[in-house]
Amino acid sequence: MRGGAGDNLEGNQPTNILGSFHPSPFFLGPDKSPTAWLILIDYALENAGVTTPKQKFQTLLPVLSAELLTRLANSLTSIIADENPYRALKNSIQELYREPKADIFARYFKEQTLGSDLPSEFLRKAIERLEILQTGITKDDAILRRFFLTALP
């Protein structure tokens, strides 16, 4: 039957993906990040033979916890519309648990002082180090400006 519940929407061949997909329960790693869980999900999808981003998204979405779905509710429409909904879903899950920039900056700048560096050199080094922490910061970011000014004498 075309379009039935067991059909693969991309190839219209019957599949039983959920029967072979056994995801680990959601968890956060020691760094309070879902990265390790997402890696396990990738392996489980691969082992189940789920290969395309759309299939991965369609397989993972129904097995997410109600709590996680509630937290993702506001972004689900844009995730579904994305060219790669699986990547968008993974990025959204990562973003939910990303440490706020203000917390990262507070921790970083707590020990930082201008020292003998010129302000421009201090700022360049700060941006480089904050990029390592994957904050997505730019030199024009208002929060960077605020913490930079607190490090000045």
Side-chain angles (χ1 to χ4, degrees), residues 32 65 70 98 128 138:
K32 296 186 175 54
S65 70
T70 299
R98 184 164 288 133
E128 285 175 5
T138 66

Side-chain angles (χ1 to χ4, degrees), residues 54-84:
K54 188 169 185 172
Q55 287 175 329
K56 289 178 179 182
F57 173 76
Q58 290 171 335
T59 303
L60 181 57
L61 189 66
V63 299
L64 293 178
S65 70
E67 177 189 348
L68 193 52
L69 287 169
T70 299
R71 294 189 68 194
L72 289 167
N74 291 335
S75 55
L76 277 177
T77 303
S78 62
I79 292 170
I80 291 167
D82 194 280
E83 179 180 301
N84 184 331

Side-chain angles (χ1 to χ4, degrees), residues 86-134:
Y86 180 64
R87 181 189 61 220
L89 178 62
K90 286 175 53 173
N91 289 344
S92 294
I93 292 170
Q94 288 278 24
E95 189 62 35
L96 286 175
Y97 294 95
R98 184 164 288 133
E99 185 177 10
K101 284 184 187 179
D103 294 353
I104 294 171
F105 284 28
R107 189 175 62 251
Y108 174 78
F109 279 105
K110 183 178 182 180
E111 304 296 324
Q112 301 299 317
T113 59
L114 185 62
S116 62
D117 289 339
L118 294 172
S120 60
E121 183 65 14
F122 176 80
L123 180 60
R124 184 188 63 74
K125 288 179 184 177
I127 290 172
E128 285 175 5
R129 291 179 187 135
L130 289 166
E131 275 304 312
I132 291 169
L133 298 173
Q134 300 178 352

